[in-house]
Amino acid sequence: MEGRFRVTTVADGFTVACLLVGSFFFLSGTVGILRFPDALTRLHAVTKADNVGLGLVVIGLIPQSASLGSAGKLLLVWAVALIASAASSYLVSSSVTSAERMREDE
Amino acid sequence: MTTFFLAVATFLLLTLLAAVHRILRGPSRADRMLTAQLFGTTGVAILLVLAAALDQRAIVDGALVFALLAMVNTTVFVRQAWKAGSE
């Protein structure tokens, strides 16, 4: 019986790997927000790194979900978080550029 | 497996707490806004991992609402900033 993988072990290993890489992305997003020089570059760090980390966490948790419905709900959470991040980052960046333009007008 | 999930959730919480420094330091309003956005995304991740750790699928619904509220959050901040800037 060697060489026969138990499905649970493979699924658990996949989950562990995805969650570890996802947490690393979250860590890099926080490091970026602390170390980058400018508000707009920090916005990049938050939006890109954190959303990739969230995506990896969702992908890692899908093998652990009980049914197809709960896996679909996890993907829905990721999609909503992506849309919210896209809208938020646009709003924050437009407020930064309008503030800079107002400061130049003075 | 549960221990691993709890460890990941604790680690994400620590990265969240480390980002508080940007709220205190952030020279402009936008820095605090984007830290709020980070809180939203990391909070959703923590809730999802906790849902797996505690085996409570209802927490995933909470994470969904949290993600929606994150967008409302930033909209309120930005409306404030625009109103304050146009005075």
Side-chain angles (χ1 to χ4, degrees):
Chain A
M1 292 295 187
E2 311 96 359
R4 197 180 75 161
F5 285 94
R6 285 184 30 201
V7 176
T8 326
T9 318
V10 172
D12 282 354
F14 178 74
T15 301
V16 167
C18 280
L19 283 186
L20 282 178
V21 180
S23 340
F24 170 72
F25 270 99
F26 274 109
L27 179 67
S28 73
T30 302
V31 168
I33 205 179
L34 292 176
R35 295 291 300 262
F36 276 1
D38 184 33
L40 289 176
T41 51
R42 288 178 205 133
L43 186 60
H44 263 280
V46 171
T47 318
K48 312 298 190 292
D50 275 11
N51 280 311
V52 169
L54 181 62
L56 282 170
V57 165
V58 164
I59 290 175
L61 288 179
I62 283 182
Q64 303 291 328
S65 61
S67 65
L68 204 58
S70 56
K73 197 186 291 186
L74 282 174
L75 289 174
L76 181 67
V77 170
W78 182 28
V80 168
L82 276 181
I83 293 173
S85 271
S88 304
S89 66
Y90 170 74
L91 290 173
V92 171
S93 66
S94 83
S95 95
V96 166
T97 49
S98 72
E100 281 174 3
R101 213 176 306 128
M102 265 185 290
R103 237 179 294 135
E104 282 166 18
D105 286 342
E106 284 168 9
Chain B
M1 215 45 205
T2 311
T3 329
F4 174 69
F5 285 146
L6 289 177
V8 168
T10 313
F11 176 73
L12 290 178
L13 191 62
L14 289 176
T15 62
L16 199 63
L17 291 177
V20 170
H21 178 71
R22 181 50 65 200
I23 295 185
L24 300 173
R25 267 292 299 276
S28 70
R29 209 183 201 105
D31 290 298
R32 301 190 176 93
M33 278 189 239
L34 57 93
T35 313
Q37 190 180 328
L38 179 142
F39 270 49
T41 318
T42 313
V44 168
I46 292 178
L47 283 176
L48 290 180
V49 172
L50 276 183
L54 305 173
D55 206 11
Q56 296 268 357
R57 281 161 46 190
I59 301 181
V60 177
D61 299 333
L64 185 61
V65 172
F66 210 81
L68 284 170
L69 289 180
M71 179 159 48
V72 174
N73 204 4
T74 313
T75 312
V76 168
F77 271 143
V78 171
R79 284 292 308 263
Q80 262 261 335
W82 282 345
K83 206 179 301 178
S86 62
E87 281 164 9

